[in-house]
Amino acid sequence: MELPKEKVMATRKSPKNIVIYGPPKIGKTTALAKLEGCLIIDLEEGSDMVDALKIKANSLRELSQIGKAIIAEGKPYKYIAVDTVTQLEAWCESEAKVLYQSTPMGKNFDKDKQGLSVLSLPNGGGYLYLRLAYKKWLDRLNKLADHVILIGHLKDKVLEKKGKEVTSKDLDLTGKIRGITCANADAIGYVFREGDATMISFDSTNDITAGSRCDHLKGQVMELDWSKIFID
């Protein structure tokens, strides 16, 4: 192996993975429908009113079948949008339970099939298995297209700053799963309305979970225009 002796130049400018989130009915799915070559995988029955390149998944089993079909057809889509990642996390709870039951200490968990959740384990022990299940699906989705867009719901979070309570805008995911999702993304955008325009903010300075590794998106607040996000 030959080690580099000079600076290695960047190979891309656009985000490979991006998270966008915001209030419901704000125009996220409608905006996705305008992105050429983007398959929307609808996990929440939220695309019925939109003409789009789309397919519905009502379970992890159906999501797996869609993923296998995409790979079998040679990954024909430049973009894959998962609408929503909030629903994906909810589905992963059942798979987390299976993961725990496959371990020696979990083999007798809910043996009587009473519908116990793995998240009921003491000391939050079940959240490890939720994270493992979620990370597995995130890795699977990342392999389906050149660019993966994760759509999320908004959660208002109350923070204390200088003795005052401040409401911040955050991605509605559980604890460390939120961290996993954000770390996986090259850009995180908060979507909102300004008059008749659908806007997106990559500016994290106003108590909003947002940001970007991509130079052209850092600190930007702009109308949601995919040609200004995916520039190469």
Side-chain angles (χ1 to χ4, degrees):
M1 175 184 293
E2 185 176 348
L3 297 175
K5 303 296 189 297
E6 298 178 356
K7 184 185 293 185
V8 179
M9 304 306 292
T11 56
R12 60 182 173 86
K13 297 179 180 178
S14 301
K16 172 173 173 49
N17 300 319
I18 182 171
V19 174
I20 68 172
Y21 73 100
K25 311 297 185 292
I26 203 73
K28 300 185 294 294
T29 305
T30 301
L32 284 170
K34 298 176 182 178
L35 179 57
E36 190 71 26
C38 177
L39 176 68
I40 301 172
I41 305 178
D42 180 4
L43 311 188
E44 288 194 341
E45 303 279 345
S47 64
D48 289 349
M49 304 292 289
V50 178
D51 296 332
L53 190 63
K54 61 186 179 180
I55 189 169
K56 290 184 180 181
N58 296 303
S59 64
L60 287 179
R61 180 175 177 274
E62 291 185 6
L63 184 58
S64 177
Q65 290 172 342
I66 292 167
K68 289 176 182 177
I70 290 171
I71 291 173
E73 293 191 21
K75 299 196 283 190
Y77 308 106
K78 185 174 182 180
Y79 309 94
I80 295 288
V82 180
D83 192 3
T84 66
V85 71
T86 310
Q87 183 61 48
L88 177 64
E89 180 194 349
W91 285 353
C92 284
E93 186 177 333
S94 60
E95 188 154 317
K97 181 176 179 177
V98 173
L99 287 174
Y100 179 61
Q101 289 173 324
S102 68
T103 67
M105 60 185 172
K107 63 182 180 181
N108 294 319
F109 179 73
D110 201 22
K111 198 172 183 179
D112 298 330
K113 299 187 183 300
Q114 296 179 15
L116 295 178
S117 169
V118 70
L119 302 184
S120 67
L121 289 173
N123 303 315
Y127 285 93
L128 167 63
Y129 299 93
L130 180 61
R131 292 195 296 273
L132 291 173
Y134 180 85
K135 182 64 165 58
K136 181 181 77 172
W137 279 99
L138 201 59
D139 290 344
R140 286 181 178 181
L141 292 168
N142 285 342
K143 296 174 183 177
L144 298 183
D146 290 340
H147 305 276
V148 175
I149 305 167
L150 301 179
I151 313 303
H153 290 313
L154 168 69
K155 175 173 64 177
D156 285 325
K157 185 167 65 174
V158 177
L159 304 174
E160 185 174 319
K161 284 191 172 182
K162 298 180 180 179
K164 295 182 180 180
E165 288 189 347
V166 177
T167 301
S168 68
K169 307 297 185 185
D170 204 353
L171 180 62
D172 188 12
L173 290 172
T174 303
K176 292 182 181 179
I177 284 182
R178 173 189 167 281
I180 291 169
T181 305
C182 292
N184 177 70
D186 294 317
I188 304 161
Y190 170 65
V191 179
F192 62 100
R193 297 289 291 181
E194 191 171 271
D196 293 330
T198 301
M199 307 292 290
I200 188 165
S201 173
F202 297 98
D203 182 6
S204 62
T205 60
N206 294 314
D207 299 308
I208 295 173
T209 297
S212 177
R213 297 187 183 112
C214 308
D215 288 339
H216 68 290
L217 297 177
K218 288 179 181 177
Q220 293 295 312
V221 180
M222 60 189 189
E223 191 166 348
L224 206 172
D225 181 343
W226 296 114
S227 68
K228 293 179 181 178
I229 294 175
F230 299 107
I231 60 174
D232 54 5

